[in-house]
Amino acid sequence: RRGEMAKSTQLIDNEVFRAFATYTAIVLLKMMLMSLITAYFRITRKAFVNPEDTATFGKGESAKKYLKTDPDVERARRGHLNDLENIVPFVGIGLLYALSGPELSTALLHFRIFTGARILHTFAYLIPLPQPSRGLSWAVGYSVTFSMAYKVLKTAWLL
Amino acid sequence: RRGEMAKSTQLIDNEVFRAFATYTAIVLLKMMLMSLITAYFRITRKAFVNPEDTATFGKGESAKKYLKTDPDVERARRGHLNDLENIVPFVGIGLLYALSGPELSTALLHFRIFTGARILHTFAYLIPLPQPSRGLSWAVGYSVTFSMAYKVLKTAWLL
Amino acid sequence: RRGEMAKSTQLIDNEVFRAFATYTAIVLLKMMLMSLITAYFRITRKAFVNPEDTATFGKGESAKKYLKTDPDVERARRGHLNDLENIVPFVGIGLLYALSGPELSTALLHFRIFTGARILHTFAYLIPLPQPSRGLSWAVGYSVTFSMAYKVLKTAWLL
């Protein structure tokens, strides 16, 4: 029985926490993918910002022309920053939400909608899809985080 | 008795953790508010960065003039980035701090000062207030996070 | 025995969690250091972005010339943003990893390599060192986080 109890106190054995861990890993990996997409555009568009990154293209003036901005690079960077601005609150508030004792089905609903919305947001930003695709997918993810924050504040409130 | 023990091991029943959850939700919601403020300035100043966002203003050259930077938009964006740079360490270090067994009164002091300082920082940035208002409110929040990091390292140190 | 069990359920008494807390505090403090480095370059290069920050240099046109970008300031800012993009996933995924029951030696290997790689990355960015120093140190940290995410998904998977 001791082992049983010890086990039940491990967060990773809690189903809501397992769901949180799964979706958090997925959205953070998706966010990390933005680095690779930015790097891809920097290399294929030959658009760099650090002089040391253009050294392979030669020295002096011949390399200097690769220190430029490119619309695709900037777009990927904006998508990455938008991920940071939205996925950071999801992870922080989502962790507290997962520990606040929600029903598994309710928690899964929150995590699935947020994850789907952020994947859509990335496609809407990178393709790009016409508005309001990007705006709506952003708003859906934002609302999910807001809903979890409400549950956290209702459960934990101690000011 | 088993239920009692099980309950006492739930993080959300711990008062320090409840305080951490409350203040973390507040500062993360405050950070999320920066997105709405940026969107408000983009729409009222008609200053966008993505061509697809100006499609409602017409096509071609007539819409292109709304692809511009605006001082208020840029100011809100800098405030948002500063939040990311400072609230991310607060949430990460604060979680570890809350789990390191501090006195409730000491923990509340840290969380309250940080939250107050970041709210002041936002007002100082957006109004803007003359310096050193923004600098001081930044430094106060920074020091609180540093103090929590010291407690975490003293308690948990295992390199 | 009750006290013993209660103790064993405290995260901060778990060795893997203590190691996670130690390395997380270190990398977040390192990230916070980037704010001070940026401030140092802004002051020594007299390169500011907010008009209210140049008020001490006089009024009107005489202060306006300090509203400029500086290569060293921009480099420190890029290093800071790169930290956010990489240390946020490390902290989020690393927390779940620490709770997924890895061997202490394996966990320490992950945390140590990540922390070393990010410190190298900062030196490679700020000095700057010739490529591929910065690229490689970035890739090593990225791979460590990826490896932890794999363990989290394998252990927690609940979609």
Side-chain angles (χ1 to χ4, degrees):
Chain A
R1 181 180 291 251
R2 184 182 169 173
E4 200 189 311
M5 282 187 68
K7 203 180 158 194
S8 74
T9 62
Q10 301 225 348
L11 283 171
I12 212 73
D13 294 317
N14 175 293
E15 286 196 315
V16 171
F17 195 81
R18 280 177 55 204
F20 171 70
T22 304
Y23 286 97
T24 291
I26 289 171
V27 290
L28 287 175
L29 286 171
K30 192 224 75 59
M31 185 171 93
M32 287 169 70
L33 185 63
M34 302 308 285
S35 298
L36 297 183
I37 293 172
T38 301
Y40 169 80
F41 282 129
R42 283 206 183 281
I43 291 164
T44 56
R45 270 62 169 168
K46 291 198 172 54
F48 300 91
V49 64
N50 296 299
E52 67 269 28
D53 300 354
T54 62
T56 51
F57 301 116
K59 294 202 176 207
E61 292 306 313
S62 63
K64 228 172 188 173
K65 66 176 175 224
Y66 301 120
L67 296 177
K68 61 179 184 198
T69 57
D70 172 88
D72 292 323
V73 170
E74 296 309 307
R75 187 173 279 278
R77 292 182 64 221
R78 288 196 298 275
H80 200 166
L81 186 57
N82 195 281
D83 268 356
L84 268 172
E85 292 169 357
N86 289 279
I87 291 176
V88 162
F90 170 80
V91 173
I93 291 171
L95 172 68
L96 304 170
Y97 171 77
L99 299 173
S100 73
E103 289 292 324
L104 177 61
S105 56
T106 315
L108 278 171
L109 198 69
H110 281 82
F111 302 157
R112 284 172 182 160
I113 294 175
F114 181 87
T115 304
R118 292 310 302 180
I119 291 171
L120 277 176
H121 184 272
T122 301
F123 280 103
Y125 219 147
L126 292 182
I127 293 178
L129 297 176
Q131 285 284 29
S133 315
R134 199 183 83 239
L136 279 182
S137 58
W138 172 84
V140 168
Y142 194 89
S143 308
V144 168
T145 305
F146 200 86
S147 163
M148 296 195 303
Y150 175 76
K151 171 76 162 72
V152 167
L153 289 174
K154 212 179 58 169
T155 311
W157 190 260
L158 193 160
L159 209 58
Chain B
R1 180 178 292 256
R2 186 184 166 170
E4 198 189 313
M5 281 187 68
K7 203 181 156 194
S8 74
T9 61
Q10 299 225 350
L11 283 171
I12 211 72
D13 294 316
N14 175 293
E15 286 197 314
V16 171
F17 196 81
R18 281 177 55 203
F20 171 71
T22 304
Y23 286 97
T24 290
I26 290 171
V27 290
L28 286 176
L29 286 171
K30 192 224 75 58
M31 186 171 92
M32 288 169 68
L33 185 63
M34 301 307 286
S35 298
L36 298 183
I37 293 171
T38 301
Y40 169 79
F41 281 130
R42 281 205 184 284
I43 291 165
T44 56
R45 270 62 171 169
K46 290 199 172 51
F48 300 91
V49 64
N50 295 299
E52 67 269 26
D53 300 354
T54 62
T56 51
F57 302 117
K59 294 202 174 209
E61 291 306 312
S62 64
K64 227 173 190 174
K65 66 175 174 226
Y66 301 119
L67 296 177
K68 62 180 184 198
T69 57
D70 171 88
D72 291 324
V73 170
E74 295 309 306
R75 186 173 278 280
R77 292 182 65 222
R78 289 196 298 275
H80 200 166
L81 186 57
N82 195 281
D83 268 357
L84 268 172
E85 292 169 357
N86 288 280
I87 291 176
V88 162
F90 170 80
V91 173
I93 290 171
L95 172 68
L96 305 170
Y97 171 77
L99 299 173
S100 73
E103 290 292 324
L104 178 61
S105 56
T106 316
L108 278 171
L109 196 70
H110 281 82
F111 301 156
R112 285 171 182 161
I113 294 175
F114 182 86
T115 304
R118 292 309 304 180
I119 291 171
L120 277 176
H121 185 271
T122 301
F123 280 104
Y125 219 146
L126 292 182
I127 293 178
L129 298 176
Q131 284 284 31
S133 316
R134 198 182 85 239
L136 279 182
S137 57
W138 172 84
V140 168
Y142 195 89
S143 307
V144 168
T145 306
F146 200 85
S147 163
M148 295 195 305
Y150 175 76
K151 172 75 161 73
V152 167
L153 289 173
K154 213 178 58 170
T155 310
W157 190 261
L158 193 160
L159 210 58
Chain C
R1 182 180 288 255
R2 185 182 167 174
E4 199 188 313
M5 281 186 68
K7 201 178 157 194
S8 74
T9 61
Q10 301 226 347
L11 283 171
I12 213 71
D13 294 317
N14 175 293
E15 286 198 314
V16 170
F17 196 81
R18 281 177 54 204
F20 171 70
T22 305
Y23 286 97
T24 290
I26 290 170
V27 290
L28 286 176
L29 287 170
K30 191 224 77 56
M31 186 172 93
M32 288 169 68
L33 185 63
M34 301 308 285
S35 298
L36 297 183
I37 293 172
T38 301
Y40 169 80
F41 282 130
R42 282 207 184 281
I43 291 165
T44 56
R45 269 62 169 170
K46 292 197 170 55
F48 300 91
V49 65
N50 295 299
E52 67 268 27
D53 300 355
T54 62
T56 51
F57 301 117
K59 292 199 177 212
E61 290 306 312
S62 63
K64 227 171 188 175
K65 66 176 176 224
Y66 302 119
L67 296 176
K68 61 179 185 198
T69 57
D70 171 88
D72 292 324
V73 170
E74 296 309 307
R75 185 173 279 278
R77 292 183 65 221
R78 289 195 299 275
H80 200 165
L81 186 56
N82 195 281
D83 268 357
L84 268 173
E85 292 169 356
N86 289 279
I87 291 175
V88 163
F90 170 80
V91 173
I93 291 171
L95 172 69
L96 305 170
Y97 171 77
L99 299 173
S100 73
E103 290 291 324
L104 177 61
S105 56
T106 315
L108 278 171
L109 197 69
H110 281 83
F111 302 157
R112 284 171 183 161
I113 293 175
F114 182 86
T115 305
R118 292 310 303 180
I119 291 171
L120 276 176
H121 184 271
T122 301
F123 280 103
Y125 220 147
L126 293 182
I127 293 177
L129 298 177
Q131 285 283 30
S133 315
R134 198 182 85 240
L136 279 182
S137 57
W138 172 84
V140 168
Y142 195 88
S143 308
V144 168
T145 305
F146 200 86
S147 163
M148 294 194 305
Y150 175 76
K151 172 75 161 73
V152 167
L153 289 174
K154 212 179 58 169
T155 310
W157 189 261
L158 193 161
L159 210 58

